[in-house]
Amino acid sequence: MLEKGWIGGGNTGRNTTIIRSNYLWDESAAIYEHAMKLWEGLSQELNFNLMFSQRGVLTLAHSEHELREMRRRVEAIRLNGIDSDVLTPDEIKRLVPIMDTSPNLRYPVMGGFIQRRGGTARHDAVAWGYARAADARGVDIIQNCAVTGFRIDQGTVRGVETTRGPIRASKVACVVAGHAGVVAEMAGFRLPVTSRPLQALVSEPIKPILDVVIMSNAVHMYVSQSDKGEMVLGAGTDSYNSYTQRGSMTVIEGMLAAAVELFPCLSRLSMLRSWGGIVDTCPDASPIISRTPVRNLYFNCGWGTGGFKATPGSGHVFADLVARDEPNAIAAPFSLDRFVGGYLIDEHGAAGVAH
Ligand code: PYC
């Protein structure tokens, strides 16, 4: 396993750790729920405390239209056997007393829907837990080793060039969130992904005030409280393509204005750190788990804001694809072929923030 930087230093450690499986389409429900079920036993399986906390993920509606769309979405999600409930503003107020649910806000809370099995996990623990388990099974993990090219012979991958020398391989699997397009280009093809910064920030620690994850897609704000007591706030993507691991000030300002309107008690909080991750996003806001035009070269990418929450499921079905050179039923809809055949899986509405 080759890592350009250090384990957990890329997008794994640069997200707001939200885990949920309440996506709209059957194909997405299948993969995200597969991941959710694996999350539910993962700390035990890895024998590493991932601090997986099913505290619930509540998504807010701020208009009649959004609420109507949400009700329809909840029915679709339930049809796939995934827990999902609509909440009234009164129920939301009881669940989250610090939220301003009065009707005269710029974006009033008209209702919401909750996945109670959703929540968070500690992202660096996830990276370390997997790394330790992989190492115990004999995987060589080589950090500070960037791939600089591919060895390709007659359309088949034969290995990679790296900053520490060439490595021969009969199969190569790329999981390079944020740089999938760059790495694909080294192999001589293009991916339908757009790369943009998505930023988040974390406050000084305070006493427990919020025990549920709140998302507001309309105002591009999501917030949870970490086990250390920090408020973890996330924003929308920047509106330009970039590989800088920081976002623009205007995006933070807009998100914080929305956060303070919903949670006036946050207005005096000092923010300690902000960071950006690069999200590679496909035109349908669904991922790619696929063979590629180069034989025995596979890509798992394009997750947009869905990558962390899918980790166990995405890794599991991808490993199966690489081992058998054939996608299983969960992975098959996410193949690159869909951009030729037109079987897109439009999850823009479930993506949490606009892509
Ligand atoms: O859960 O969709 C999500 C999300 C969006 C941004 C961060 N997480």
Side-chain angles (χ1 to χ4, degrees), residues 146-221:
V147 169
T148 53
F150 289 92
R151 292 189 161 190
I152 296 170
D153 178 26
Q154 298 182 352
T156 302
V157 76
R158 305 283 181 201
V160 290
E161 306 290 342
T162 80
T163 46
R164 299 170 75 172
I167 301 176
R168 278 185 302 190
S170 53
K171 292 187 176 190
V172 177
C174 294
V175 191
V176 287
H179 280 74
V182 177
V183 176
E185 199 155 6
M186 291 179 196
F189 58 91
R190 296 190 71 191
L191 289 172
V193 294
T194 307
S195 303
R196 292 190 182 173
L198 178 75
Q199 59 184 320
L201 50 163
V202 66
S203 76
E204 59 190 320
I206 51 174
K207 286 187 177 170
I209 57 165
L210 183 65
D211 60 2
V212 61
V213 181
I214 308 289
M215 302 190 67
S216 171
N217 305 359
V219 295
H220 301 321
M221 188 276 311

Side-chain angles (χ1 to χ4, degrees), residues 74-103:
V74 163
E75 296 305 328
I77 293 167
R78 284 182 173 189
L79 280 175
N80 276 314
I82 295 169
D83 62 306
S84 191
D85 290 297
V86 174
L87 297 187
T88 64
D90 284 347
E91 289 169 321
I92 291 174
K93 184 71 184 173
R94 275 200 294 280
L95 189 66
V96 192
I98 60 166
M99 190 186 298
D100 186 349
T101 52
S102 60

Side-chain angles (χ1 to χ4, degrees), residues 50-331:
L50 306 179
M51 297 167 85
F52 178 52
S53 161
Q54 291 179 293
R55 60 186 64 184
V57 175
L58 168 64
T59 305
L60 303 176
H62 299 284
S63 67
E64 280 292 346
H65 169 79
E66 220 184 341
L67 192 55
R68 220 171 297 135
E69 199 277 336
M70 223 170 238
R71 288 202 183 102
R72 171 190 170 244
R73 181 173 290 272
V74 163
E75 296 305 328
I77 293 167
R78 284 182 173 189
L79 280 175
N80 276 314
I82 295 169
D83 62 306
S84 191
D85 290 297
V86 174
L87 297 187
T88 64
D90 284 347
E91 289 169 321
I92 291 174
K93 184 71 184 173
R94 275 200 294 280
L95 189 66
V96 192
I98 60 166
M99 190 186 298
D100 186 349
T101 52
S102 60
N104 45 6
L105 295 189
R106 187 170 45 138
Y107 296 103
V109 176
M110 312 282 286
F113 79 114
I114 187 163
Q115 180 176 21
R116 296 184 201 274
R117 286 163 61 240
T120 56
R122 180 158 171 185
H123 41 22
D124 38 13
V126 174
W128 298 331
Y130 266 115
R132 192 180 69 168
D135 178 70
R137 290 183 185 196
V139 175
D140 280 332
I141 300 174
I142 306 174
Q143 301 183 81
N144 294 311
C145 179
V147 169
T148 53
F150 289 92
R151 292 189 161 190
I152 296 170
D153 178 26
Q154 298 182 352
T156 302
V157 76
R158 305 283 181 201
V160 290
E161 306 290 342
T162 80
T163 46
R164 299 170 75 172
I167 301 176
R168 278 185 302 190
S170 53
K171 292 187 176 190
V172 177
C174 294
V175 191
V176 287
H179 280 74
V182 177
V183 176
E185 199 155 6
M186 291 179 196
F189 58 91
R190 296 190 71 191
L191 289 172
V193 294
T194 307
S195 303
R196 292 190 182 173
L198 178 75
Q199 59 184 320
L201 50 163
V202 66
S203 76
E204 59 190 320
I206 51 174
K207 286 187 177 170
I209 57 165
L210 183 65
D211 60 2
V212 61
V213 181
I214 308 289
M215 302 190 67
S216 171
N217 305 359
V219 295
H220 301 321
M221 188 276 311
Y222 35 101
V223 57
S224 64
Q225 187 167 21
S226 78
D227 294 306
K228 278 190 280 180
E230 305 151 326
M231 302 308 290
V232 182
L233 291 130
T237 53
D238 276 7
S239 49
Y240 52 84
N241 299 353
S242 162
Y243 290 106
T244 54
Q245 287 180 319
R246 53 182 295 181
S248 61
M249 197 62 192
T250 49
V251 172
I252 287 194
E253 280 176 338
M255 182 275 285
L256 283 177
V260 168
E261 189 177 48
L262 277 171
F263 303 102
C265 68
L266 300 187
S267 68
R268 299 237 162 164
L269 214 52
S270 301
M271 294 296 154
L272 293 189
R273 297 189 300 282
S274 75
W275 68 91
I278 308 303
V279 288
D280 291 336
T281 307
C282 294
D284 57 356
S286 284
I288 294 167
I289 304 170
S290 188
R291 291 180 290 224
T292 68
V294 178
R295 209 168 309 118
N296 294 341
L297 175 61
Y298 308 86
F299 265 74
N300 178 343
C301 64
W303 287 88
T305 58
F308 179 75
K309 64 177 69 64
T311 301
S314 117
H316 185 228
V317 300
F318 190 51
D320 186 58
L321 165 67
V322 175
R324 297 188 306 112
D325 193 37
E326 190 63 42
N328 64 24
I330 296 180

